[in-house]
Protein backbone atom coordinates (compact mmCIF):
# COMPACT_ATOMS: atom_id res chain seq x y z
CA UNK A 1 0.00 0.00 0.00
CA UNK A 2 1.40 3.40 -0.98
CA UNK A 3 1.31 6.19 1.58
CA UNK A 4 2.42 9.80 1.92
CA UNK A 5 2.99 12.00 4.95
CA UNK A 6 2.31 15.69 4.34
CA UNK A 7 3.35 18.54 6.59
CA UNK A 8 3.16 22.31 6.18
CA UNK A 9 6.05 24.28 7.64
CA UNK A 10 6.76 27.95 8.31
CA UNK A 11 9.55 28.39 5.77
CA UNK A 12 12.10 26.78 3.47
CA UNK A 13 14.75 26.46 6.22
CA UNK A 14 12.46 24.39 8.44
CA UNK A 15 11.38 22.30 5.43
CA UNK A 16 15.04 21.58 4.58
CA UNK A 17 15.70 20.54 8.20
CA UNK A 18 12.68 18.23 8.04
CA UNK A 19 13.96 16.69 4.78
CA UNK A 20 17.38 16.08 6.36
CA UNK A 21 15.74 14.43 9.38
CA UNK A 22 13.60 12.27 7.09
CA UNK A 23 16.69 11.07 5.21
CA UNK A 24 18.44 10.39 8.54
CA UNK A 25 15.44 8.24 9.51
CA UNK A 26 15.69 6.00 6.41
CA UNK A 27 13.05 7.74 4.28
CA UNK A 28 14.27 7.35 0.69
CA UNK A 29 15.44 10.59 -0.98
CA UNK A 30 13.26 9.90 -4.03
CA UNK A 31 10.19 9.86 -1.80
CA UNK A 32 10.81 13.33 -0.32
CA UNK A 33 9.48 16.48 -2.00
CA UNK A 34 9.57 20.07 -0.83
CA UNK A 35 6.95 22.31 -2.41
CA UNK A 36 6.85 26.07 -2.11
CA UNK A 37 5.25 28.91 -4.01
CA UNK A 38 7.08 29.53 -7.28
CA UNK A 39 9.50 32.46 -6.95
CA UNK A 40 7.71 35.76 -7.50
CA UNK A 41 4.36 34.06 -8.05
CA UNK A 42 1.01 35.01 -6.65
CA UNK A 43 -0.55 31.58 -6.50
CA UNK A 44 -4.18 32.73 -6.60
CA UNK A 45 -3.90 34.65 -9.88
CA UNK A 46 -5.31 33.02 -13.01
CA UNK A 47 -3.40 35.32 -15.36
CA UNK A 48 -0.21 33.29 -15.64
CA UNK A 49 0.01 29.79 -17.04
CA UNK A 50 2.89 28.74 -14.71
CA UNK A 51 0.85 29.83 -11.68
CA UNK A 52 -2.27 28.06 -12.93
CA UNK A 53 -0.21 24.95 -13.71
CA UNK A 54 1.33 25.04 -10.22
CA UNK A 55 -2.05 25.23 -8.48
CA UNK A 56 -3.59 22.61 -10.76
CA UNK A 57 -0.65 20.24 -10.33
CA UNK A 58 -0.53 20.55 -6.55
CA UNK A 59 -4.32 20.14 -6.32
CA UNK A 60 -4.16 17.04 -8.52
CA UNK A 61 -1.33 15.52 -6.46
CA UNK A 62 -3.17 16.12 -3.18
CA UNK A 63 -6.47 14.79 -4.55
CA UNK A 64 -4.76 11.63 -5.87
CA UNK A 65 -3.53 10.94 -2.32
CA UNK A 66 -7.05 11.23 -0.95
CA UNK A 67 -6.99 14.78 0.41
CA UNK A 68 -10.39 16.36 0.85
CA UNK A 69 -11.36 19.62 -0.85
CA UNK A 70 -10.99 21.36 2.53
CA UNK A 71 -7.46 20.00 2.94
CA UNK A 72 -6.50 20.93 -0.62
CA UNK A 73 -7.78 24.50 -0.17
CA UNK A 74 -6.00 24.78 3.17
CA UNK A 75 -2.67 23.55 1.76
CA UNK A 76 -2.97 25.89 -1.24
CA UNK A 77 -3.73 28.81 1.11
CA UNK A 78 -0.73 27.90 3.24
CA UNK A 79 1.60 27.82 0.24
CA UNK A 80 0.07 31.07 -1.03
CA UNK A 81 0.99 32.63 2.33
CA UNK A 82 4.62 31.54 1.89
CA UNK A 83 4.51 28.30 3.89
CA UNK A 84 6.27 25.19 2.55
CA UNK A 85 4.88 21.67 2.10
CA UNK A 86 6.96 18.56 2.67
CA UNK A 87 5.80 15.24 1.19
CA UNK A 88 7.35 11.92 2.21
CA UNK A 89 6.11 8.91 0.22
CA UNK A 90 6.82 5.23 0.66
CA UNK A 91 5.35 2.24 2.40
CA UNK A 92 2.73 2.78 5.10
CA UNK A 93 5.40 2.16 7.76
CA UNK A 94 7.77 4.70 6.15
CA UNK A 95 5.03 7.33 5.84
CA UNK A 96 3.97 6.72 9.44
CA UNK A 97 7.59 7.20 10.56
CA UNK A 98 7.77 10.34 8.40
CA UNK A 99 4.69 11.73 10.20
CA UNK A 100 6.44 11.27 13.53
CA UNK A 101 9.57 13.02 12.24
CA UNK A 102 7.52 15.88 10.76
CA UNK A 103 5.53 16.31 13.96
CA UNK A 104 8.76 16.76 15.92
CA UNK A 105 9.35 19.90 13.80
CA UNK A 106 5.95 21.35 14.76
CA UNK A 107 4.15 21.54 11.42
CA UNK A 108 1.41 24.13 11.10
CA UNK A 109 -1.97 22.77 12.18
CA UNK A 110 -4.85 22.93 9.69
CA UNK A 111 -6.78 25.47 11.79
CA UNK A 112 -3.74 27.73 12.13
CA UNK A 113 -3.34 28.37 8.42
CA UNK A 114 -6.99 28.31 7.36
CA UNK A 115 -8.55 30.25 10.18
CA UNK A 116 -11.27 27.60 10.28
CA UNK A 117 -12.30 26.35 13.72
CA UNK A 118 -13.39 22.87 12.67
CA UNK A 119 -10.68 20.74 11.14
CA UNK A 120 -11.87 17.58 9.46
CA UNK A 121 -15.10 15.68 9.75
CA UNK A 122 -15.17 13.06 12.47
CA UNK A 123 -13.96 9.59 11.58
CA UNK A 124 -17.49 8.23 11.37
CA UNK A 125 -18.59 11.12 9.14
CA UNK A 126 -15.69 10.54 6.73
CA UNK A 127 -16.50 6.89 6.08
CA UNK A 128 -17.91 6.44 2.59
CA UNK A 129 -20.87 4.23 1.80
CA UNK A 130 -19.72 0.63 1.72
CA UNK A 131 -16.63 1.33 3.79
CA UNK A 132 -18.19 0.14 7.02
CA UNK A 133 -18.83 -3.22 5.41
CA UNK A 134 -15.26 -3.51 4.10
CA UNK A 135 -13.84 -2.37 7.44
CA UNK A 136 -11.29 -0.01 5.83
CA UNK A 137 -9.04 0.34 8.87
CA UNK A 138 -6.30 2.28 7.05
CA UNK A 139 -8.67 5.10 6.07
CA UNK A 140 -10.09 5.28 9.58
CA UNK A 141 -6.57 5.43 11.02
CA UNK A 142 -5.54 8.07 8.46
CA UNK A 143 -8.48 10.23 9.54
CA UNK A 144 -7.67 9.79 13.25
CA UNK A 145 -4.08 10.85 12.60
CA UNK A 146 -5.14 13.71 10.37
CA UNK A 147 -7.42 15.02 13.07
CA UNK A 148 -4.87 14.70 15.88
CA UNK A 149 -1.51 15.54 14.31
CA UNK A 150 0.06 18.42 12.41
CA UNK A 151 1.46 16.18 9.68
CA UNK A 152 -1.19 14.16 7.87
CA UNK A 153 -0.97 10.61 6.60
CA UNK A 154 -2.64 9.63 3.34
CA UNK A 155 -2.71 6.04 2.08
CA UNK A 156 -4.23 4.58 -1.05
Amino acid sequence: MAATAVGLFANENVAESVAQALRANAIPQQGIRIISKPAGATVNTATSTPQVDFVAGLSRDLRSMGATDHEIDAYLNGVKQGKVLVFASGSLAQADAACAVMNSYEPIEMEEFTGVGAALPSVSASVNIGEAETNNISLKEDRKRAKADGARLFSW
Side-chain angles (χ1 to χ4, degrees):
M1 173 180 291
T4 300
V6 179
L8 185 72
F9 297 91
N11 57 52
E12 191 78 32
N13 291 334
V14 176
E16 286 294 336
S17 295
V18 169
Q20 287 177 346
L22 290 170
R23 287 188 291 273
N25 281 278
I27 306 300
Q29 173 64 37
Q30 68 273 16
I32 301 170
R33 290 187 340 180
I34 297 175
I35 300 175
S36 59
K37 180 170 66 171
T42 54
V43 174
N44 63 347
T45 304
T47 60
S48 169
T49 301
Q51 293 168 10
V52 171
D53 290 347
F54 171 78
V55 170
L58 181 53
S59 296
R60 183 179 50 250
D61 287 351
L62 290 164
R63 186 166 281 109
S64 72
M65 288 184 270
T68 65
D69 288 341
H70 172 77
E71 290 167 321
I72 292 167
D73 290 344
Y75 284 130
L76 288 173
N77 284 334
V79 172
K80 177 181 124 184
Q81 295 169 12
K83 310 296 188 251
V84 182
L85 280 170
V86 176
F87 288 59
S89 299
S91 68
L92 186 55
Q94 288 171 321
D96 195 40
C99 268
V101 169
M102 288 180 185
N103 284 331
S104 71
Y105 284 83
E106 300 179 6
I108 298 168
E109 296 286 339
M110 183 75 69
E111 296 79 18
E112 288 180 44
F113 66 93
T114 63
V116 176
L120 296 174
S122 67
V123 174
S124 60
S126 69
V127 176
N128 294 324
I129 295 173
E131 234 169 34
E133 293 81 26
T134 62
N135 224 2
N136 189 337
I137 300 301
S138 67
L139 178 63
K140 291 177 186 176
E141 289 303 311
D142 289 351
R143 292 299 181 214
K144 282 182 190 174
R145 285 187 188 107
K147 195 172 174 192
D149 298 338
R152 300 185 187 290
L153 178 67
F154 298 97
S155 59
W156 62 96

